[in-house]
Coordinates of all heavy atoms in Angstrom, one line a residue:
R24 N 0.8 -1.2 0.0 CA 0.0 0.0 0.0 C 0.9 1.2 0.0 O 1.8 1.3 0.7 CB -0.9 0.0 1.2 CG -1.8 1.2 1.3 CD -2.9 1.1 2.2 NE -3.5 2.2 2.8 CZ -3.5 3.5 2.4 NH1 -2.7 3.9 1.5 NH2 -4.2 4.4 3.0
V25 N 0.5 2.2 -0.8 CA 1.2 3.5 -0.9 C 0.4 4.6 -0.3 O -0.8 4.7 -0.6 CB 1.5 3.8 -2.4 CG1 2.1 5.2 -2.5 CG2 2.3 2.8 -3.1
P26 N 1.0 5.3 0.6 CA 0.2 6.4 1.3 C -0.3 7.4 0.3 O 0.3 7.7 -0.7 CB 1.3 7.1 2.2 CG 2.3 6.1 2.4 CD 2.3 5.2 1.2
D27 N -1.5 7.9 0.5 CA -2.1 8.9 -0.4 C -1.2 10.1 -0.6 O -1.3 10.7 -1.7 CB -3.5 9.3 0.1 CG -4.5 8.2 0.0 OD1 -4.3 7.2 -0.8 OD2 -5.5 8.2 0.8
A28 N -0.5 10.5 0.4 CA 0.4 11.7 0.3 C 1.6 11.5 -0.6 O 2.3 12.5 -0.9 CB 0.8 12.2 1.7
A29 N 2.0 10.2 -0.9 CA 3.2 10.0 -1.6 C 3.0 10.5 -3.1 O 2.1 10.1 -3.7 CB 3.5 8.5 -1.6
E30 N 4.0 11.3 -3.5 CA 3.9 11.8 -4.9 C 4.7 10.9 -5.9 O 4.4 11.0 -7.1 CB 4.5 13.2 -4.9 CG 3.7 14.2 -4.1 CD 4.3 15.6 -4.2 OE1 5.0 15.9 -5.1 OE2 4.0 16.4 -3.2
A31 N 5.6 10.1 -5.4 CA 6.4 9.2 -6.3 C 6.9 8.1 -5.4 O 6.9 8.2 -4.2 CB 7.5 10.0 -6.9
I32 N 7.4 7.0 -6.1 CA 8.1 5.9 -5.5 C 9.5 6.0 -5.9 O 9.8 6.0 -7.1 CB 7.4 4.6 -5.9 CG1 5.9 4.6 -5.7 CG2 8.1 3.4 -5.1 CD1 5.5 4.8 -4.3
I33 N 10.4 6.0 -5.0 CA 11.9 6.1 -5.3 C 12.6 4.8 -4.8 O 12.5 4.6 -3.6 CB 12.5 7.4 -4.8 CG1 11.7 8.5 -5.4 CG2 14.0 7.4 -5.1 CD1 12.3 9.9 -5.2
F34 N 13.3 4.1 -5.6 CA 14.2 3.0 -5.2 C 15.6 3.5 -5.3 O 16.1 3.7 -6.3 CB 14.0 1.8 -6.2 CG 12.6 1.2 -6.1 CD1 11.6 1.5 -7.0 CD2 12.4 0.2 -5.1 CE1 10.4 0.9 -6.9 CE2 11.1 -0.4 -5.1 CZ 10.1 0.0 -6.0
C35 N 16.2 3.7 -4.1 CA 17.6 4.2 -4.1 C 18.6 3.1 -4.1 O 19.8 3.4 -4.0 CB 17.7 5.1 -2.8 SG 16.6 6.5 -2.8
V36 N 18.2 1.9 -4.3 CA 19.2 0.8 -4.3 C 19.7 0.6 -5.7 O 18.9 0.3 -6.6 CB 18.5 -0.5 -3.7 CG1 19.5 -1.6 -3.5 CG2 17.7 -0.2 -2.5
G37 N 21.0 0.7 -5.9 CA 21.6 0.5 -7.2 C 21.5 -0.9 -7.8 O 21.5 -1.1 -9.0
G38 N 21.5 -1.9 -6.9 CA 21.5 -3.3 -7.3 C 20.1 -3.9 -7.7 O 20.0 -5.0 -8.2
L39 N 19.1 -3.1 -7.6 CA 17.7 -3.5 -7.8 C 17.4 -3.3 -9.3 O 17.5 -2.2 -9.8 CB 16.7 -2.8 -7.0 CG 15.3 -3.2 -7.1 CD1 15.1 -4.6 -6.6 CD2 14.4 -2.3 -6.2
R40 N 17.1 -4.4 -10.0 CA 16.8 -4.2 -11.5 C 15.3 -4.0 -11.7 O 14.6 -4.9 -12.1 CB 17.2 -5.5 -12.2 CG 18.7 -5.7 -12.2 CD 19.1 -6.9 -13.0 NE 20.5 -7.1 -12.8 CZ 21.1 -8.2 -13.3 NH1 20.4 -9.1 -13.9 NH2 22.4 -8.3 -13.2
A41 N 14.9 -2.8 -11.4 CA 13.5 -2.5 -11.5 C 13.1 -1.7 -12.7 O 11.9 -1.5 -13.0 CB 13.1 -1.7 -10.3
I42 N 14.1 -1.3 -13.6 CA 13.8 -0.5 -14.7 C 12.8 -1.3 -15.7 O 12.0 -0.6 -16.3 CB 15.1 -0.1 -15.5 CG1 14.7 1.0 -16.5 CG2 15.7 -1.2 -16.2 CD1 15.9 1.7 -17.0
G43 N 12.9 -2.6 -15.7 CA 12.1 -3.3 -16.6 C 10.6 -3.4 -16.1 O 9.7 -3.7 -16.9
V44 N 10.4 -3.1 -14.9 CA 9.0 -3.1 -14.3 C 8.5 -1.8 -13.9 O 7.4 -1.6 -13.3 CB 8.9 -4.1 -13.2 CG1 9.1 -5.6 -13.7 CG2 9.8 -3.8 -12.0
A45 N 9.3 -0.7 -14.1 CA 9.0 0.6 -13.7 C 7.6 1.1 -14.2 O 6.8 1.6 -13.5 CB 10.0 1.6 -14.1
E46 N 7.4 0.8 -15.5 CA 6.1 1.3 -16.1 C 4.9 0.5 -15.5 O 3.9 1.1 -15.2 CB 6.2 1.1 -17.6 CG 5.0 1.7 -18.3 CD 5.2 1.8 -19.8 OE1 5.2 0.7 -20.4 OE2 5.2 2.9 -20.3
A47 N 5.1 -0.8 -15.3 CA 4.0 -1.6 -14.7 C 3.7 -1.1 -13.3 O 2.6 -1.1 -12.8 CB 4.4 -3.1 -14.7
L48 N 4.8 -0.8 -12.5 CA 4.6 -0.3 -11.2 C 3.9 1.0 -11.2 O 3.0 1.3 -10.3 CB 6.0 -0.2 -10.5 CG 6.6 -1.5 -10.0 CD1 8.1 -1.2 -9.5 CD2 5.8 -2.1 -8.9
E49 N 4.3 1.9 -12.1 CA 3.6 3.2 -12.2 C 2.1 3.0 -12.5 O 1.3 3.7 -11.9 CB 4.2 4.0 -13.3 CG 5.6 4.6 -12.9 CD 6.3 5.4 -14.0 OE1 5.9 5.3 -15.2 OE2 7.2 6.1 -13.6
D50 N 1.8 2.1 -13.4 CA 0.4 1.8 -13.7 C -0.4 1.3 -12.5 O -1.5 1.7 -12.2 CB 0.3 0.8 -14.9 CG 0.7 1.4 -16.2 OD1 0.8 2.7 -16.3 OD2 1.0 0.6 -17.1
A51 N 0.3 0.4 -11.8 CA -0.4 -0.2 -10.6 C -0.5 0.7 -9.4 O -1.5 0.7 -8.7 CB 0.4 -1.5 -10.2
L52 N 0.5 1.6 -9.2 CA 0.5 2.4 -8.1 C 0.0 3.8 -8.3 O -0.2 4.6 -7.4 CB 2.0 2.5 -7.5 CG 2.6 1.2 -7.1 CD1 4.0 1.4 -6.7 CD2 1.8 0.6 -5.9
Q53 N -0.2 4.2 -9.6 CA -0.6 5.5 -10.0 C 0.2 6.6 -9.6 O -0.2 7.7 -9.2 CB -2.1 5.7 -9.6 CG -3.1 4.8 -10.2 CD -3.1 4.9 -11.7 OE1 -3.4 6.0 -12.2 NE2 -2.8 3.9 -12.5
R54 N 1.6 6.3 -9.6 CA 2.6 7.3 -9.2 C 3.8 7.1 -10.0 O 4.1 6.0 -10.4 CB 2.9 7.2 -7.7 CG 1.8 7.7 -6.9 CD 2.1 7.5 -5.4 NE 1.0 7.9 -4.5 CZ -0.2 7.4 -4.5 NH1 -0.6 6.4 -5.3 NH2 -1.1 7.8 -3.6
P55 N 4.6 8.1 -10.2 CA 5.9 7.9 -10.9 C 6.8 7.0 -10.1 O 6.8 7.1 -8.8 CB 6.5 9.3 -11.0 CG 5.4 10.3 -10.8 CD 4.4 9.5 -9.9
V56 N 7.6 6.2 -10.7 CA 8.6 5.3 -10.1 C 9.9 5.7 -10.6 O 10.1 5.7 -11.9 CB 8.2 3.8 -10.4 CG1 9.4 2.9 -9.9 CG2 6.9 3.4 -9.7
I57 N 10.9 5.9 -9.8 CA 12.2 6.3 -10.2 C 13.2 5.4 -9.4 O 13.1 5.3 -8.2 CB 12.5 7.8 -9.9 CG1 11.5 8.7 -10.6 CG2 14.0 8.1 -10.2 CD1 11.6 10.1 -10.2
T58 N 14.1 4.7 -10.2 CA 15.1 3.9 -9.6 C 16.5 4.7 -9.7 O 16.6 5.5 -10.6 CB 15.2 2.5 -10.2 OG1 15.8 2.7 -11.5 CG2 13.9 1.9 -10.3
A59 N 17.4 4.3 -8.9 CA 18.8 4.9 -9.0 C 19.4 4.7 -10.3 O 19.9 5.6 -11.0 CB 19.6 4.4 -7.8
N60 N 19.3 3.4 -10.8 CA 19.9 3.1 -12.1 C 19.2 3.8 -13.3 O 19.8 4.2 -14.2 CB 19.9 1.6 -12.3 CG 20.8 0.9 -11.4 OD1 21.8 1.5 -10.9 ND2 20.6 -0.4 -11.2
Q61 N 17.9 3.9 -13.2 CA 17.1 4.5 -14.2 C 17.4 6.0 -14.2 O 17.6 6.6 -15.3 CB 15.6 4.4 -13.8 CG 14.6 5.0 -14.7 CD 13.2 5.1 -14.1 OE1 13.1 5.2 -12.9 NE2 12.2 4.9 -15.0
A62 N 17.6 6.7 -13.1 CA 18.0 8.1 -13.1 C 19.4 8.3 -13.6 O 19.6 9.3 -14.4 CB 17.9 8.6 -11.6
A63 N 20.3 7.4 -13.3 CA 21.6 7.5 -13.9 C 21.6 7.3 -15.4 O 22.3 8.1 -16.1 CB 22.6 6.5 -13.2
A64 N 20.9 6.4 -15.9 CA 20.8 6.2 -17.3 C 20.2 7.3 -18.0 O 20.6 7.8 -19.1 CB 20.0 4.9 -17.6
W65 N 19.1 7.9 -17.4 CA 18.4 9.0 -18.0 C 19.4 10.2 -18.1 O 19.4 10.9 -19.1 CB 17.2 9.4 -17.1 CG 16.4 10.6 -17.5 CD1 15.5 10.7 -18.5 CD2 16.5 11.8 -16.9 NE1 15.0 12.0 -18.6 CE2 15.6 12.7 -17.6 CE3 17.2 12.4 -15.8 CZ2 15.4 14.0 -17.2 CZ3 17.0 13.7 -15.4 CH2 16.1 14.5 -16.1
A66 N 20.1 10.5 -17.0 CA 21.1 11.6 -17.0 C 22.2 11.4 -18.0 O 22.6 12.3 -18.7 CB 21.6 11.8 -15.6
A67 N 22.7 10.1 -18.2 CA 23.7 9.8 -19.1 C 23.2 10.0 -20.6 O 24.0 10.6 -21.4 CB 24.2 8.4 -18.9
L68 N 22.0 9.6 -20.9 CA 21.5 9.8 -22.2 C 21.4 11.3 -22.5 O 21.8 11.7 -23.6 CB 20.1 9.1 -22.3 CG 20.1 7.6 -22.4 CD1 18.6 7.1 -22.3 CD2 20.7 7.2 -23.7
H69 N 20.8 12.1 -21.6 CA 20.7 13.5 -21.8 C 22.1 14.2 -21.9 O 22.2 15.1 -22.7 CB 19.8 14.1 -20.8 CG 18.3 13.8 -21.1 ND1 17.6 14.4 -22.0 CD2 17.5 12.8 -20.5 CE1 16.4 13.9 -22.0 NE2 16.3 12.9 -21.1
G70 N 23.0 13.7 -21.1 CA 24.4 14.2 -21.2 C 25.0 14.0 -22.5 O 25.9 14.8 -22.9
A71 N 24.6 12.9 -23.1 CA 25.2 12.5 -24.4 C 24.4 13.2 -25.6 O 24.7 13.0 -26.8 CB 25.2 11.0 -24.6
G72 N 23.4 14.0 -25.2 CA 22.7 14.7 -26.3 C 21.5 14.0 -26.8 O 20.8 14.5 -27.7
V73 N 21.1 12.9 -26.2 CA 19.9 12.2 -26.6 C 18.7 12.8 -25.9 O 18.6 12.9 -24.7 CB 20.0 10.7 -26.2 CG1 18.7 9.9 -26.6 CG2 21.2 10.0 -26.8
S74 N 17.8 13.3 -26.7 CA 16.6 14.0 -26.2 C 15.3 13.3 -26.5 O 14.2 13.7 -26.1 CB 16.5 15.4 -26.6 OG 16.5 15.5 -28.1
D75 N 15.4 12.2 -27.2 CA 14.2 11.4 -27.6 C 13.6 10.7 -26.4 O 14.3 10.2 -25.5 CB 14.5 10.4 -28.7 CG 15.0 11.0 -30.0 OD1 14.7 12.1 -30.2 OD2 15.7 10.3 -30.7
A76 N 12.3 10.7 -26.3 CA 11.6 9.9 -25.3 C 11.8 8.4 -25.5 O 11.9 8.0 -26.7 CB 10.1 10.2 -25.3
V77 N 11.9 7.7 -24.5 CA 12.1 6.2 -24.5 C 10.8 5.6 -23.9 O 10.5 5.8 -22.7 CB 13.3 5.8 -23.8 CG1 13.5 4.2 -23.8 CG2 14.6 6.4 -24.4
Q78 N 10.1 4.9 -24.7 CA 8.8 4.3 -24.2 C 9.0 3.0 -23.5 O 10.0 2.2 -23.8 CB 7.9 4.1 -25.4 CG 7.5 5.3 -26.1 CD 6.8 6.4 -25.3 OE1 5.9 6.1 -24.6 NE2 7.2 7.6 -25.5
G79 N 8.2 2.7 -22.5 CA 8.2 1.4 -21.9 C 9.1 1.2 -20.6 O 9.2 0.2 -20.1
H80 N 9.7 2.3 -20.2 CA 10.6 2.2 -19.0 C 10.3 3.2 -18.0 O 11.1 3.6 -17.1 CB 12.1 2.4 -19.4 CG 12.6 1.3 -20.3 ND1 12.7 0.0 -19.8 CD2 12.9 1.2 -21.6 CE1 13.1 -0.8 -20.8 NE2 13.2 -0.1 -21.9
G81 N 9.1 3.7 -18.0 CA 8.6 4.7 -16.9 C 8.5 6.1 -17.4 O 9.1 6.5 -18.4
R82 N 7.9 6.9 -16.6 CA 7.6 8.3 -17.0 C 8.9 9.1 -17.0 O 9.0 10.1 -17.8 CB 6.7 8.9 -15.9 CG 5.3 8.3 -15.9 CD 4.5 9.0 -14.8 NE 3.4 8.2 -14.5 CZ 2.5 8.4 -13.5 NH1 2.7 9.5 -12.8 NH2 1.5 7.6 -13.3
L83 N 9.9 8.8 -16.3 CA 11.1 9.5 -16.3 C 11.7 9.6 -17.7 O 12.2 10.7 -18.1 CB 12.2 8.9 -15.3 CG 13.5 9.7 -15.2 CD1 13.3 11.1 -14.7 CD2 14.5 8.9 -14.4
F84 N 11.7 8.5 -18.4 CA 12.3 8.5 -19.8 C 11.4 9.3 -20.8 O 11.8 9.4 -21.9 CB 12.6 7.1 -20.2 CG 13.8 6.5 -19.6 CD1 13.7 5.7 -18.5 CD2 15.0 6.8 -20.1 CE1 14.8 5.2 -17.9 CE2 16.2 6.3 -19.5 CZ 16.1 5.5 -18.4
E85 N 10.3 9.7 -20.4 CA 9.5 10.6 -21.3 C 9.6 12.0 -21.0 O 9.0 12.9 -21.6 CB 8.0 10.1 -21.1 CG 7.8 8.7 -21.5 CD 6.4 8.2 -21.2 OE1 5.5 9.0 -20.8 OE2 6.2 7.0 -21.4
C86 N 10.5 12.4 -20.0 CA 10.7 13.8 -19.6 C 12.0 14.3 -20.2 O 13.0 13.6 -20.3 CB 10.9 13.8 -18.0 SG 9.4 13.3 -17.2
A87 N 11.9 15.6 -20.5 CA 13.1 16.3 -21.0 C 13.9 16.8 -19.7 O 13.4 17.0 -18.7 CB 12.7 17.5 -21.8
L88 N 15.2 16.9 -19.9 CA 16.1 17.4 -18.9 C 15.8 18.8 -18.6 O 15.7 19.6 -19.6 CB 17.5 17.2 -19.3 CG 18.6 17.4 -18.3 CD1 18.5 16.3 -17.2 CD2 20.0 17.3 -18.9
P89 N 15.6 19.2 -17.4 CA 15.4 20.7 -17.1 C 16.5 21.5 -17.6 O 17.7 21.1 -17.5 CB 15.3 20.7 -15.6 CG 15.1 19.3 -15.1 CD 15.7 18.4 -16.2
A90 N 16.2 22.7 -18.0 CA 17.2 23.7 -18.6 C 17.9 24.3 -17.4 O 17.5 24.4 -16.4 CB 16.5 24.7 -19.5

C-alpha cells in the first residue's frame, strides 16, 4: 500500500533491477517510479545529447532534462 500523500516511489538501491518493471509499477501504483539506475541512465542519455523519449521504461524517460 502506498500512502495517499506519496507523490512518487523512489528506489535508491543501485543493485535492484526495477527498470524493466517501472512502467508496470507506475500503472499499478498510479505514481511515478524512479530507480537509482534509471535516473543515472536518463542523465547519461541526456548528457550525451539524446533527447528522444524512450517508451516502456517509466515516466522519467518521457521527460526532458530541465534547462
